[in-house]
Amino acid sequence: MLYAVIGEDVPDSLARRLAVRPAHLERLKELQDAGRLILAGPCPAIDAQDPGPAGFSGSLIVAEFDSLEAARAWAAADPYATEGVFARVTVRPFRKVLPA
């Protein structure tokens, strides 16, 4: 089943986010290589493709996991969660409708 992982950044997270980004991307690449990643990306803190020093307010990941518990465990072990980039992480079941 698909799950949406919604991470909300702590204030002024940009430096910390950039420091752990390679490890975060490596975990996403593993999901992608396994054919389980639907989409992933950050939410700019301002209305701009490149927010510059404003940074990001969080991230959204949609991926396939065996269960809600497995999705939560994966999210809890992500470097953005373990290294203090995320203030809060929500994991919810997700049903893709479009594009078909």
Side-chain angles (χ1 to χ4, degrees):
M1 181 162 179
L2 296 179
Y3 296 88
V5 178
I6 305 155
E8 298 175 46
D9 282 24
V10 298
D12 300 316
S13 64
L14 186 58
R16 192 175 299 170
R17 178 181 268 271
L18 292 174
V20 298
R21 185 171 188 261
H24 170 73
L25 291 178
E26 182 59 34
R27 293 184 85 237
L28 291 174
K29 179 89 168 84
E30 290 172 8
L31 287 177
Q32 181 179 2
D33 290 348
R36 297 171 42 204
L37 183 64
I38 304 302
L39 66 87
C43 302
I46 60 173
D47 189 13
Q49 180 71 21
D50 179 358
F56 300 92
S57 62
S59 296
L60 170 64
I61 299 161
V62 177
E64 183 180 346
F65 293 94
D66 291 334
S67 66
L68 179 58
E69 293 77 20
R72 285 180 175 155
W74 184 92
D78 187 80
Y80 282 2
T82 62
E83 299 301 319
V85 174
F86 291 153
R88 177 174 45 195
V89 177
T90 304
V91 180
R92 295 182 179 161
F94 181 81
R95 184 174 156 210
K96 182 182 174 203
V97 175
L98 294 170

